[in-house]
C-alpha cells in the first residue's frame, strides 16, 4: 500500500465511522493498515470513500498450529448490517485461501458483540467449535480447543495476562475509549455478557476451529449465497 492509499484509507474511515475515535487509534497505530498480510477494502466509487476494511495475518502457535489472526475489521457506520460485510468477508476469505490454506483456526479480539456474533455464525456450524461459547446450553469443555486458545493468546499478546475464564485480555485497548458508546448486537444474552465481563479497554478473544472440509465449503457458501452476521 502506498502512502497516498494509506492516507486515503485513514481519512475515509475516520469520516465514515464517527462512532469510533479513529483519529486517536490511527495516531497511536500509524502502521495499522501496513501490518496485515491480507487486506481487503470495499470502496464507494462515486463518493471515493472506504466502506469496509478487513485485514489478517497468518501466525503459528508454539506447537505449530497455523491460525489466522484477524487484526482489522471495520464497516462504515451507516452500512452495518448490510451486505457490505458479507461481500467483504467473501473477498477476504478468497484472498486468504489463495495462499493455499483455509483458516481452520481463526482468532479475533474485540470489544464489539456484533463481531462476536459474526464469528459465531460459522463457529456453530456442524464441524466447528468456538471459544467462548456464551449460550449456557451449548457451553462445552473441548480440551483441545481450550489448549489452542491459550496458545493463541500467548502469541497474540505474549506479555499480557489473559483471563481464560472470561476469555478476555484486560486493558489492552488503544485507545481505551475507542468506542464512543458501547456497541450492541441483536442478541441480548451476548450484550449482557459483554457488559458484565468486557470493560472499556478490554478485548474478548474469539477463536473458531473448523475441523472438516465440508464445513470449510459451508462457510464459503454462507458468505457467497447470502448469509449475514
Amino acid at each position: 500500500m502506498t502512502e497516498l492509499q494509506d492516507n486515503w484509507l485513514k481519512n475515509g474511515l475516520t469520516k465514515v465511522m464517527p462512532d469510533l475515535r479513529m483519529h486517536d487509534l490511527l495516531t497511536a497505530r500509524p502502521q495499522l493498515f501496513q501490518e496485515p498480510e491480507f487486506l481487503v477494502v470495499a470502496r464507494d466509487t462515486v463518493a471515493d470513500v472506504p466502506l469496509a476494511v478487513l485485514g489478517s495475518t497468518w501466525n503459528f502457535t508454539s506447537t505449530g498450529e497455523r491460525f489466522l489472526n484477524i487484526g482489522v475489521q471495520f464497516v462504515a457506520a451507516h452500512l452495518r448490517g448490510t451486505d457490505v460485510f458479507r461481500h467483504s468477508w467473501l473477498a477476504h476469505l478468497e484472498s486468504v485461501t489463495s495462499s493455499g490454506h483455509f483458516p481452520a483456526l481463526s482468532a479475533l479480539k474485540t470489544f464489539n458483540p456484533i463481531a462476536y456474533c459474526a464469528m459465531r455464525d460459522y463457529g456453530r456450524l456442524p464441524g466447528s467449535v468456538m471459544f467462548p461459547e456464551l449460550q449456557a446450553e451449548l457451553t462445552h469443555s473441548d480440551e483441545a480447543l481450550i489448549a489452542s486458545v491459550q496458545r493463541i493468546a500467548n502469541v497474540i499478546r505474549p506479555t499480557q495476562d489473559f483471563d481464560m475464564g472470561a476469555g478476555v485480555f484486560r486493558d489492552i485497548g488503544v485507545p481505551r475509549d475507542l468506542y464512543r458508546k458501547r456497541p450492541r448486537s441483536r442478541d441480548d444474552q451476548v450484550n449482557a455478557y459483554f457488559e458484565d465481563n468486557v470493560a472499556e479497554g478490554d478485548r474478548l478473544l474469539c477463536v473458531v476451529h473448523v475441523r472438516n472440509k465440508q464445513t470449510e465449503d459451508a462457510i464459503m457458501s454462507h458468505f457467497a449465497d447470502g448469509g449475514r452476521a
Side-chain angles (χ1 to χ4, degrees), residues 6 9 14 27 133 136 147 158 163:
D6 189 54
L9 184 55
T14 301
T27 299
E133 179 50 73
D163 182 344

Side-chain angles (χ1 to χ4, degrees), residues 38-228:
F38 306 98
L39 190 73
V40 170
V41 178
R43 171 175 167 259
D44 182 330
T45 56
V46 176
D48 193 30
V49 293
L51 303 178
V53 58
L54 292 167
S56 63
T57 302
W58 286 121
N59 284 118
F60 293 88
T61 69
S62 59
T63 60
E65 299 161 293
R66 178 190 294 270
F67 71 95
L68 190 69
N69 183 9
I70 304 162
V72 175
Q73 181 171 266
F74 296 116
V75 179
H78 66 290
L79 291 173
R80 290 171 196 154
T82 71
D83 279 345
V84 168
F85 178 86
R86 176 174 63 85
H87 290 308
S88 298
W89 254 103
L90 178 60
H92 179 246
L93 280 175
E94 288 174 341
S95 178
V96 170
T97 55
S98 70
S99 69
H101 301 279
F102 183 90
L105 271 170
S106 54
L108 168 74
K109 57 184 188 301
T110 186
F111 182 71
N112 192 338
I114 298 172
Y116 170 84
C117 291
M119 294 282 281
R120 187 181 64 182
D121 265 9
Y122 62 94
R124 284 185 179 174
L125 289 173
S128 290
V129 288
M130 180 176 184
F131 173 92
E133 179 50 73
L134 306 185
Q135 194 165 321
E137 59 269 27
L138 294 179
T139 299
H140 53 75
S141 55
D142 189 307
E143 293 183 3
L145 177 62
I146 296 301
S148 293
V149 168
Q150 187 64 69
R151 288 191 291 267
I152 288 171
N154 290 340
V155 172
I156 292 177
R157 297 295 294 233
T159 62
Q160 187 72 30
D161 287 339
F162 177 61
D163 182 344
M164 192 71 185
V168 172
F169 287 108
R170 298 295 178 195
D171 201 25
I172 66 168
V174 178
R176 294 185 75 258
D177 58 348
L178 174 63
Y179 292 82
R180 299 181 188 276
K181 181 180 179 181
R182 179 179 284 272
R184 293 181 62 83
S185 70
R186 292 190 291 264
D187 187 319
D188 290 338
Q189 185 175 12
V190 172
N191 293 334
Y193 187 88
F194 271 77
E195 290 167 5
D196 293 343
N197 295 279
V198 189
E200 185 177 72
D202 293 349
R203 297 293 183 264
L204 182 75
L205 177 62
C206 308
V207 175
V208 171
H209 191 186
V210 180
R211 291 176 169 170
N212 61 55
K213 181 64 169 61
Q214 292 76 18
T215 308
E216 293 177 10
D217 294 341
I219 289 170
M220 296 299 290
S221 296
H222 168 80
F223 288 108
D225 298 338
R228 186 169 69 223

